[in-house]
Amino acid sequence: MKRIEFRYHPNLYNDPILIRGKGKCECCGKKVSEYIENVYAEEDLECICLECVHNGSAAEKFDAEFVQDAEEVSDPEKRDELFQRTPGYISWQGEYWLACCDDYCAYLGTVGIRELENLEIKEEVLQSYEAEEDSFPIELVKKHLSREGEMTGYLFRCLHCGKYRLHVDAD
């Protein structure tokens, strides 16, 4: 099966948003073994193939988006690519996509303190996160941030300058 690449979601095939199982795409009608069911649309959609996400046909057909919210960028084409042609990710309160260098960042996956330490970016990421306007208190983050816990980190990386950014969400 041909892998479809997403600029803003390069690790999609390792992300739980991707459902692996038999389904029939509600957009194109093809039988598929990988699909997305997290769709923001008036209709209750349960199976959209990656091709229909990537080419924008599902967004157009169902007036749908795949990402709930994001920071602002100036180019409407980039916004369209993110919201209408990129799968989101699973989070506690709904996706919130980060941006840097006037473009959306690549979503890398969920992280906790341990994963940031293993990547050797803990101090850099936490320092940057602490400077964010609406961040949780940093001591709380240091104590409770875990990949699959009640406070989860969502790691992004700028496609241009390479800076890591962290969004934190809690149940």
Side-chain angles (χ1 to χ4, degrees):
M1 175 182 287
K2 178 184 157 205
R3 286 175 68 107
I4 297 173
E5 301 298 323
F6 294 90
R7 171 181 162 101
Y8 298 125
H9 204 318
N11 298 330
L12 174 67
Y13 293 90
N14 296 321
D15 195 278
I17 194 108
L18 180 64
I19 305 298
R20 289 188 164 87
K22 294 181 189 239
K24 182 177 179 183
C25 179
E26 294 175 65
C27 183
C28 69
K30 290 181 189 172
K31 291 183 179 181
V32 295
S33 59
E34 295 176 322
Y35 59 92
I36 301 296
E37 61 183 11
N38 289 49
V39 183
Y40 299 99
E42 283 193 30
E43 290 186 50
D44 186 22
L45 303 170
E46 296 180 7
C47 181
I48 301 294
C49 75
L50 297 181
E51 188 175 325
C52 288
V53 174
H54 190 262
N55 67 25
S57 60
E60 185 176 335
K61 181 175 183 174
F62 300 109
D63 192 24
E65 293 184 338
F66 298 96
V67 173
Q68 185 176 20
D69 199 7
E71 292 181 332
E72 294 293 321
V73 300
S74 63
D75 185 348
E77 289 295 321
K78 291 175 181 174
R79 185 187 190 291
D80 288 348
E81 181 177 353
L82 178 69
F83 282 83
Q84 298 174 352
R85 297 189 307 277
T86 303
Y89 60 89
I90 295 172
S91 66
W92 288 111
Q93 310 298 328
E95 310 94 335
Y96 187 72
W97 219 277
L98 301 181
C100 186
C101 297
D102 200 29
D103 195 359
Y104 295 108
C105 295
Y107 171 67
L108 303 179
T110 57
V111 294
I113 293 297
R114 182 179 301 129
E115 289 77 21
L116 294 175
E117 288 171 344
N118 291 344
L119 292 167
E120 298 179 357
I121 59 172
K122 175 185 157 195
E123 295 309 318
E124 168 193 347
V125 168
L126 292 181
Q127 185 177 17
S128 173
Y129 176 76
E130 187 176 23
E132 299 285 334
E133 196 171 299
D134 293 326
S135 63
F136 286 97
I138 198 66
E139 292 308 316
L140 194 65
V141 172
K142 286 179 180 178
K143 184 176 180 180
H144 295 288
L145 191 71
S146 66
R147 187 176 192 171
E148 296 175 9
E150 295 172 354
M151 178 178 274
T152 302
Y154 305 93
L155 187 63
F156 293 83
R157 188 166 193 194
C158 180
L159 297 170
H160 305 283
C161 72
K163 178 182 175 182
Y164 288 98
R165 295 204 52 213
L166 183 68
H167 174 66
V168 176
D169 198 6
D171 70 352

